[in-house]
C-alpha cells in the first residue's frame, strides 16, 4: 500500500471560492455576508472535481490512500476575525469529510483549524473535537503564522499552544505544520513562505524543549523540511551551542518530514540526512507545482518516481510509503484496519 500523507482539496467546485468571496465582501458590507446554507455543492459536483483530478492521478501513480485537508492557501487565517475563520473552517472541513465519505477507501480527512492572529489557540479546540469525533479526522493542519507572512504569533514552543497540544495528545492525532497564503510581498506564498515556515518551525523546535512536556506529540514538517536537510550541520551545531541534545534525541522522536520535494537530488539528500523512520511519503498533488518537468518528461509532483529511485531497501521503502504513516497517524491506521487493510508485510530478503 502507498499512503500519501499530504493532499489538499485544491480542485473544490467553484461554488466554494464564490462563497468565500462573498464572506470576505461581507466583512465590510454586512448586507453582502452569505449564510453557510447558501453554499450548495452536490455529491456529483464533488465526484466530478475529484475523479478528474486527484483520483485520476492517484490511479495513474499507484497511490492507494491520501490524507486530505482543505486547500492550504485558502485557509487564509489573516482574513477577518476568529468568527470568520471558524465559519470558513467548518465549511472546508465538512467538504473534505464529504470527499472521504464518497471515497472511503481512497481519502481520509484532515482538518484545518480556525486560527486567527492574536487569538488564543485554545479557541480551535471545539473545531478539532468536532472534526475528530464527527468526521473521523486523522490529522490537523497547524499554521505557525496566522498573520499571513508577518510572523506575529509566538513560537510553537510557547505555552499558549499547550491547550491545543494537550487535546492533540488526548486524541493521539498529529499535526502537519503548514502555513497559508502570504500577504507579505517579500514572500511568495508557495516558493518562499511555505519553505520559510518549514525551516522556521524546525528552528523553533530546536530552541525549545517542547517534547519534554509533550513526549507523545507528533508534528510533520512538510516539503521535505524546507532547508532542514540541506543545513542539517548548521542545525546540529546550533543545538550544541544552546546546550541541547543531539537532534536525533532532541526532536526526531516527535518530528517527521514528508517527500514533497520535486527533484531527484532533493529526495536523495533527504534520504541521506534524515533517518528513514522520520520520512513519510507525500506528493501534495494537485498543488503548488503542476507542470511536467521537461528534463524528465514527468510531472514535478510525481514524487513516487524519486522515492523509488533513491536507493531505499525494500524494507525502508515500505516504511516510507506506508508503515511510517500508519505509526505517525494511528487514527489512519485504525481506519485502514477497519477496512480490512492491515499493514503490508515486507518479504524477507
Amino acid at each position: 500500500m502507498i499512503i500519501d500523507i499530504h493532499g489538499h482539496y485544491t480542485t473544490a467546485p467553484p461554488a466554494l471560492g464564490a462563497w468565500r468571496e462573498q464572506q470576505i465582501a461581507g466583512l465590510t458590507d454586512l448586507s453582502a455576508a452569505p449564510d453557510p446554507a447558501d453554499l450548495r455543492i452536490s455529491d456529483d459536483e464533488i465526484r466530478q472535481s475529484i475523479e478528474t483530478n486527484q483520483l485520476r492521478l492517484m490511479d495513474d501513480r499507484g497511490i492507494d490512500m491520501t490524507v486530505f485537508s482543505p486547500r492550504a492557501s485558502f485557509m487564509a487565517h489573516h482574513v477577518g476575525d476568529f468568527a470568520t475563520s471558524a465559519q470558513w473552517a467548518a465549511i472546508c472541513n465538512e467538504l473534505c469529510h464529504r470527499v472521504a465519505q464518497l471515497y472511503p477507501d481512497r481519502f481520509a480527512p484532515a482538518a484545518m483549524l480556525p486560527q486567527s492572529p492574536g487569538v488564543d489557540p485554545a479557541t480551535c479546540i471545539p473545531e478539532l473535537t468536532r472534526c475528530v469525533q464527527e468526521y473521523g479526522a486523522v490529522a490537523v493542519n497547524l499554521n505557525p503564522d496566522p498573520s499571513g507572512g508577518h510572523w506575529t504569533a509566538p513560537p510553537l514552543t510557547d505555552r499558549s499552544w499547550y491547550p491545543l497540544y494537550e487535546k492533540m495528545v488526548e486524541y493521539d492525532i498529529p499535526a502537519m505544520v503548514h502555513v497559508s497564503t502570504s500577504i507579505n510581498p517579500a514572500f511568495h506564498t508557495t516558493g518562499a513562505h511555505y519553505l520559510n515556515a518549514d525551516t522556521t518551525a524546525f528552528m523553533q523546535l530546536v530552541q525549545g524543549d517542547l517534547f519534554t512536556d509533550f513526549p507523545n506529540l507528533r508534528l510533520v514538517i512538510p516539503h521535505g523540511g524546507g532547508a532542514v536537510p540541506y543545513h542539517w550541520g548548521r542545525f546540529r551545531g546550533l543545538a550544541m551551542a544552546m546546550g541541547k541534545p543531539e537532534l536525533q534525541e532532541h526532536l526526531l522522536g516527535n518530528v517527521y518530514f514528508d517527500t514533497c520535494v520535486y527533484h531527484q537530488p532533493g529526495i536523495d539528500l533527504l534520504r541521506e540526512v534524515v533517518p528513514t523512520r522520520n520520512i513519510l511519503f507525500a506528493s501534495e498533488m494537485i498543488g503548488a507545482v503542476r507542470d511536467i518537468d521537461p528534463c524528465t518528461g514527468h510531472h514535478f509532483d510525481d514524487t513516487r518516481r524519486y522515492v523509488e529511485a533513491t536507493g531505499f531497501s525494500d524494507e525502508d521503502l515500505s516504511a516510507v510509503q506506508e508503515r511510517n504513516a500508519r505509526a505517525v497517524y494511528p487514527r489512519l491506521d485504525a481506519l485502514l484496519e477497519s477496512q480490512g487493510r492491515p499493514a503490508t508485510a515486507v518479504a524477507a530478503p
Side-chain angles (χ1 to χ4, degrees):
M1 171 178 284
I2 297 179
I3 299 170
D4 186 336
I5 57 99
H6 191 167
H8 299 298
Y9 200 176
T10 56
T11 61
L16 179 67
W19 190 94
R20 175 63 162 173
E21 290 177 3
Q22 283 188 275
Q23 187 194 36
I24 294 172
L27 297 175
T28 54
D29 178 6
L30 293 179
S31 66
D35 188 292
D38 295 339
L39 178 61
R40 294 182 177 87
I41 296 176
S42 69
D43 286 354
D44 284 343
E45 288 176 294
I46 292 176
R47 291 187 183 98
Q48 173 68 17
S49 70
I50 291 293
E51 291 180 4
T52 59
N53 292 293
Q54 282 88 355
L55 195 57
R56 174 180 59 84
L57 291 176
M58 287 170 66
D59 288 341
D60 288 348
R61 300 174 188 181
I63 296 170
D64 299 287
M65 173 66 80
T66 294
V67 176
F68 206 53
S69 66
R71 184 174 181 174
S73 62
F74 265 30
M75 295 192 298
H77 294 115
H78 61 276
V79 174
D81 56 14
F82 174 75
T84 307
S85 286
Q87 191 177 57
W88 180 232
I91 285 173
C92 292
N93 288 332
E94 181 185 21
L95 205 56
C96 288
H97 167 60
R98 290 177 62 190
V99 171
Q101 282 187 310
L102 291 171
Y103 306 97
D105 59 339
R106 306 305 298 275
F107 296 95
M112 67 178 274
L113 298 174
Q115 296 175 246
S116 187
V119 177
D120 187 345
T123 56
C124 297
I125 291 175
E127 181 66 12
L128 168 61
T129 299
R130 187 174 71 89
C131 288
V132 171
Q133 294 187 354
E134 298 180 22
Y135 293 166
V138 301
V140 296
N141 290 341
L142 179 65
N143 186 350
D145 173 39
S147 71
H150 292 287
W151 288 93
T152 58
L156 293 172
T157 51
D158 188 84
R159 296 190 70 86
S160 62
W161 296 98
Y162 276 29
L164 187 59
Y165 297 154
E166 289 168 359
K167 183 59 68 171
M168 289 169 53
V169 170
E170 176 186 335
Y171 283 137
D172 203 12
I173 195 169
M176 176 172 283
V177 181
H178 205 308
V179 289
S180 186
T181 299
S182 168
I183 56 172
N184 184 335
F187 301 137
H188 182 276
T189 293
T190 56
H193 186 43
Y194 282 14
L195 307 182
N196 293 345
D198 303 333
T199 307
T200 298
F202 187 79
M203 190 63 214
Q204 289 177 359
L205 297 173
V206 171
Q207 291 176 271
D209 295 292
L210 178 63
F211 303 116
T212 299
D213 290 338
F214 292 98
N216 296 318
L217 181 67
R218 296 182 302 281
L219 302 178
V220 178
I221 299 181
H223 318 116
V228 172
Y230 192 70
H231 285 291
W232 192 254
R234 177 181 291 256
F235 290 116
R236 288 186 63 238
L238 289 170
M240 289 176 59
M242 295 174 189
K244 304 295 184 183
E246 272 284 351
L247 295 181
Q248 283 86 343
E249 177 186 349
H250 188 41
L251 299 184
L252 294 190
N254 307 82
V255 178
Y256 304 85
F257 307 89
D258 76 16
T259 64
C260 292
V261 179
Y262 296 148
H263 69 149
Q264 191 65 53
I267 292 290
D268 293 344
L269 180 65
L270 183 68
R271 180 186 67 83
E272 292 172 8
V273 172
V274 175
T276 298
R277 70 182 183 87
N278 294 89
I279 301 174
L280 310 178
F281 176 76
S283 68
E284 201 180 3
M285 68 175 187
I286 299 167
V289 181
R290 306 185 182 192
D291 289 329
I292 292 175
D293 184 347
C295 294
T296 66
H298 301 290
H299 284 86
F300 283 100
D301 64 3
D302 188 359
T303 55
R304 180 180 175 182
R305 294 180 180 275
Y306 313 137
V307 169
E308 293 185 349
T310 196
F312 283 118
S313 67
D314 288 346
E315 182 175 358
D316 285 350
L317 183 62
S318 176
V320 169
Q321 292 184 329
E322 178 186 2
R323 288 185 285 110
N324 291 348
R326 297 178 80 129
V328 176
Y329 295 67
R331 288 181 174 270
L332 173 62
D333 181 56
L335 172 65
L336 294 170
E337 289 279 357
S338 72
Q339 295 173 342
R341 296 196 282 179
T344 304
V346 181

